[in-house]
Amino acid sequence: YTEGLTVSEYATSDGVTMALELDCKLLVNRAACYYNMGLYEKALEDCETALRLDKDNMRALFRKAKALHKLGRHKEANECNRHCLLSHPNDESVTSLGQELSQKLGLRVRKAYKRPAPDRKS
């Protein structure tokens, strides 16, 4: 991912227009790698850069929340995760992180809403 970002930066400096979407995907994926390596600050930096390119990138926002959580910045992590919950209320990863952060912050933990299955009586 780093090499891809370097090539993109080089191409841009040479006057070639690169898709911001590509840079954003590279940053979000590199952030995931950094996170898995325990490099939470670097993961956070890449997520923030990706969000500057695309403020609506939910993958970047969720990974930012996870990195902030690992860095002990639970209040900020909760804010990010709340935004993710608004657009992905049924995502188990997002819900689980939200419940964990609520416990850390001493907030009331609500049971996740699950839409009932449609009644199949025909």
Side-chain angles (χ1 to χ4, degrees), residues 35-120:
Y35 180 87
N36 289 329
M37 294 167 60
L39 301 171
Y40 306 120
E41 277 293 340
K42 286 183 171 273
L44 178 60
E45 288 173 21
D46 276 357
C47 289
E48 288 177 338
T49 303
L51 288 165
R52 279 194 295 276
L53 297 175
D54 176 8
K55 66 180 174 54
D56 297 323
N57 188 311
M58 285 301 120
R59 285 177 58 208
L61 191 61
F62 179 65
R63 289 184 178 155
K64 178 180 178 177
K66 286 174 44 174
L68 286 166
H69 174 49
K70 288 291 188 180
L71 291 167
R73 294 164 59 181
H74 305 298
K75 197 170 188 176
E76 292 171 83
N78 192 49
E79 271 302 305
C80 292
N81 199 65
R82 280 188 16 197
H83 289 290
C84 292
L85 276 169
L86 291 174
S87 60
H88 294 84
N90 296 322
D91 187 311
E92 287 185 35
S93 299
V94 175
T95 303
S96 176
L97 180 60
Q99 290 175 339
E100 190 176 334
L101 288 166
S102 292
Q103 286 177 333
K104 290 268 187 201
L105 293 169
L107 303 173
R108 193 171 95 211
V109 178
R110 295 183 179 154
K111 190 174 183 181
Y113 172 76
K114 300 260 186 201
R115 182 174 291 160
D119 191 14
R120 302 260 174 174

